[in-house]
């Protein structure tokens, strides 16, 4: 194991080594090609190529270099590890707010996700992110423990204008909170009257507020006190499959909501 760790350290200590091995694992390159692509000096490239040849990670063929089978193996594994660690770095500030037990997908699927956090000048940035998605989408599904005023406003307006179809499953507490506010109750009633909207209510908890806006899945993350901490959104296919499957599960077990349920 020590020799394996030494080789991992050997690669990890040099971005140029990682770049060269990645390039040679993809296709053959001349030394000149490598210099242009990586920006490394000829002296640096010379050392890297010699070190790789000594480890049998690359071979020279017709004046160019290419990864061997074991070189490709090392490149694939190392780049996978690098991707995982990069994803972990991105998620580290918000991982305590991720309801991981409820997320039926590998967290590596969030590697290209957009993470939005509140700031001093934009305390509602995560909400603004989902509102932007809602304004641009033609088909929206939501399952959530809350129905915030901004989302309800955009959804009701766009659905009644014929610009969006909407399906939502909300917790009983979420619906009761909307019904307790006269203005929000009017908007919810208007939404329920729209033919392009269908809502259901779930008596059990919904652990994470999830919006599926066309091809994008958006998660609103709160701490144990209910304070908004971040949002994460992605168009990853596996996350989308999880979101639609979870929606269908909640939908099938929920009860239809109509205007009579929210009257004073």
């Amino acid at each position: 194991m020590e020799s394996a760790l030494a080789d991992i350290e050997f690669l990890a200590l040099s971005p140029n080594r990682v770049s060269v091995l990645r390039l040679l694992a993809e296709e053959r390159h001349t030394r000149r090609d490598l210099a242009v692509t990586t920006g490394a000096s000829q002296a640096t490239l010379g050392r890297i190529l010699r070190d790789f040849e000594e480890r049998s990670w690359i071979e020279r063929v017709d004046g160019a270099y290419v990864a061997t089978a074991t070189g490709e193996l090392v490149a694939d594994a190392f780049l996978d590890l690098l991707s995982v660690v990069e994803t972990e770095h991105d998620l580290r500030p918000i991982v305590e707010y991720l309801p991981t037990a409820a997320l039926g997908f590998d967290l590596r699927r969030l590697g290209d996700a957009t993470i939005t956090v509140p700031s001093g000048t934009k305390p509602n940035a995560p909400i603004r992110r989902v509102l932007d998605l809602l304004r641009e989408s033609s088909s929206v599904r939501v399952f959530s423990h809350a129905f915030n005023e901004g989302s309800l406003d955009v959804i009701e307006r766009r659905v009644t204008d014929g610009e969006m179809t909407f399906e939502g499953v909300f917790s009983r507490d979420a619906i009761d909170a909307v019904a307790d506010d006269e203005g929000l109750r009017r908007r919810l009633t208007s939404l329920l009257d729209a033919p392009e909207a269908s809502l259901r209510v779930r008596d059990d908890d919904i652990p994470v507020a999830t919006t599926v806006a066309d091809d994008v899945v958006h998660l609103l993350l709160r701490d144990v006190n209910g304070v908004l901490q971040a949002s994460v959104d992605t168009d990853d296919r596996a996350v989308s499959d999880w979101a639609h499957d979870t929606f269908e599960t909640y939908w099938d077990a929920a009860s239809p909501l109509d205007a009579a349920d929210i009257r004073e």
Side-chain angles (χ1 to χ4, degrees):
M1 186 173 70
E2 289 184 5
S3 60
L5 289 173
D7 279 339
I8 292 172
E9 182 181 30
F10 164 76
L11 270 178
L13 289 176
S14 170
N16 281 329
R17 290 174 189 150
V18 176
S19 296
V20 170
L21 188 58
R22 175 181 59 81
L23 290 167
L24 297 181
E26 293 171 353
E27 59 181 332
R28 293 196 321 180
H29 287 276
T30 65
R31 186 161 165 169
R32 183 186 296 273
D33 291 337
L34 293 171
V36 171
T37 304
T38 65
S41 67
Q42 287 296 329
T44 297
L45 278 176
R47 289 193 297 271
I48 292 173
L49 294 172
R50 284 194 300 273
D51 288 337
F52 284 179
E53 285 181 304
E54 289 176 1
R55 288 170 169 79
S56 298
W57 290 353
I58 65 171
E59 59 185 349
R60 192 167 185 176
V61 179
D62 297 331
Y65 294 90
V66 66
T68 63
T70 52
E72 290 181 6
L73 181 66
V74 171
D76 288 346
F78 188 86
L79 293 172
D80 282 347
L81 174 61
L82 185 61
S83 176
V84 168
V85 174
E86 287 175 342
T87 300
E88 188 278 331
H89 277 212
D90 291 339
L91 296 178
R92 187 179 298 176
I94 65 168
V95 68
E96 64 181 296
Y97 312 119
L98 282 170
T100 52
L103 302 180
F105 56 84
D106 192 317
L107 289 184
R108 283 176 288 189
R109 292 295 187 169
L110 298 179
D112 294 326
T114 298
I115 298 174
T116 307
V117 297
S119 66
T121 57
K122 297 179 179 179
N124 292 321
I127 296 291
R128 291 177 62 179
R129 175 63 179 169
V130 74
L131 295 183
D132 287 343
L133 293 172
L134 291 173
R135 293 186 184 105
E136 298 169 357
S137 302
S138 60
S139 175
V140 171
R141 282 179 153 184
V142 172
F143 53 93
S144 180
H145 49 69
F147 202 174
N148 70 71
E149 180 178 2
S151 294
L152 176 56
D153 178 68
V154 174
I155 291 169
E156 185 269 337
R157 176 167 44 81
R158 297 199 72 227
V159 168
T160 55
D161 287 346
E163 299 173 346
M164 173 193 290
T165 61
F166 176 73
E167 295 175 296
V169 181
F170 295 92
S171 67
R172 180 70 63 181
D173 287 345
I175 296 301
D176 289 346
V178 171
D180 284 343
D181 182 282
E182 182 179 354
L184 297 181
R185 186 171 62 252
R186 282 199 303 269
R187 287 201 172 278
L188 182 57
T189 301
S190 172
L191 182 61
L192 288 169
D193 289 339
E196 297 301 321
S198 298
L199 286 84
R200 292 191 175 189
V201 60
R202 173 179 165 86
D203 291 325
D204 294 333
D205 185 40
I206 298 177
V208 58
T210 304
T211 298
V212 186
D214 288 342
D215 297 325
V216 178
V217 178
H218 179 280
L219 310 176
L220 274 176
L221 308 179
R222 300 179 184 273
D223 63 20
V224 294
N225 297 314
V227 178
L228 182 63
Q229 296 293 340
S231 73
V232 179
D233 62 85
T234 178
D235 60 1
D236 181 85
R237 181 59 180 272
V239 179
S240 178
D241 288 346
W242 163 80
H244 282 291
D245 288 347
T246 303
F247 178 89
E248 295 290 351
T249 298
Y250 287 162
W251 182 266
D252 290 343
S255 303
L257 180 69
D258 59 47
D261 296 325
I262 60 171
R263 292 187 182 131
E264 292 182 285

